[in-house]
Amino acid sequence: GWQYQAEARRAAQERDAQLRSLAQDAARDLGARTDRILDNLRADVAMPGLPELLEKPGVADPLLANRVLTLVALREPLHATSVGLLDLQGRNIADTQAPRVGQSEANEPYVTETLAQRYPQLLGPLQPRWDEHPALFAAAPVKRDGVVLGLLRLRLEAGLLGQVLAESLSAHGSVQGIVFDNRGRLFASTDSRLAGRER
């Protein structure tokens, strides 16, 4: 009996160690993907001509806005559903979703947080007033000589994080991954049926 108990404890310890290792690997992969999104936005807001679009929205070349926003969307072709350029009042002055142009996003957390912090932010999943589904929102300030002129905003399908998690755990077919935020809300899962649940 003692030998059986010792072997059961050893097996449980090995299983727990393996699960801890998998969780650490998945967390590292999620962190690397979100860092890449933010790094790409940092590069995108440095594109020539972007400050002029915010300083003189009626005068600047509209084709330039289209080119810049399309390039940003192509970095995440499977998950980016809207890329917008917002002025300091949160008004959308250019967007890959044409109906968004002219709409206000001023009170959305990704706008208020990014303007307050003055550096790129990734928030979500969030459900803004203008959207039917929760999504991830990345935003970065567009600056000239250190002065913030507006924001570049990227909307990403929330399933992106679940996909990263699934890829990270793919070598272990029987393992499912779930990430909760600090309030117990589901943040990412390898099982799409769990969307919106709380622990």
Side-chain angles (χ1 to χ4, degrees):
W2 289 337
Q3 183 177 358
Y4 173 79
Q5 288 178 349
E7 288 175 357
R9 277 196 302 273
R10 191 163 43 249
Q13 289 169 348
E14 289 173 0
R15 183 197 64 226
D16 290 347
Q18 184 183 27
L19 288 174
R20 271 194 303 275
S21 176
L22 288 174
Q24 289 168 350
D25 289 347
R28 186 171 50 250
D29 291 345
L30 281 169
R33 186 60 179 272
T34 57
D35 286 347
R36 191 171 80 215
I37 291 167
L38 293 174
D39 286 344
N40 286 341
L41 267 185
R42 284 185 188 94
D44 294 333
V45 295
M47 286 187 195
L50 205 54
E52 286 79 10
L53 289 169
L54 288 160
E55 289 173 324
K56 302 172 185 175
V59 178
D61 181 5
L63 292 177
L64 173 63
N66 187 50
R67 281 196 303 272
V68 169
L69 300 184
T70 300
L71 284 171
V72 174
L74 287 174
R75 291 190 191 273
E76 291 287 347
L78 299 179
H79 298 100
T81 57
S82 170
V83 181
L85 188 61
L86 312 179
D87 64 18
L88 283 176
Q89 287 71 47
R91 187 174 56 91
N92 193 319
I93 64 168
D95 202 298
T96 54
Q97 283 188 359
R100 293 291 322 137
V101 175
Q103 301 296 313
S104 175
E105 300 176 29
N107 296 320
E108 301 298 347
Y110 54 85
V111 173
T112 57
E113 284 286 318
T114 306
L115 288 176
Q117 299 296 330
R118 297 172 54 87
Y119 59 83
Q121 303 283 312
L122 178 64
L123 301 172
L126 300 171
Q127 186 164 359
R129 282 182 282 275
W130 59 272
D131 204 338
E132 294 180 6
H133 306 287
L136 301 172
F137 289 88
V142 178
K143 302 176 183 177
R144 185 194 290 283
D145 300 327
V147 177
V148 176
L149 304 173
L151 302 176
L152 185 62
R153 185 264 300 136
L154 175 62
R155 181 203 183 275
L156 297 157
E157 291 291 348
L160 166 69
L161 297 179
Q163 179 190 339
V164 174
L165 200 56
E167 289 169 359
S168 183
L169 299 172
S170 62
H172 308 276
S174 61
V175 177
Q176 295 289 321
I178 299 173
V179 179
F180 292 97
D181 69 12
N182 58 3
R183 288 184 274 185
R185 293 175 305 190
L186 188 69
F187 190 73
S189 172
T190 54
D191 187 345
S192 60
R193 296 171 299 176
L194 297 178
R197 295 194 186 175
E198 298 186 3
R199 66 176 166 178

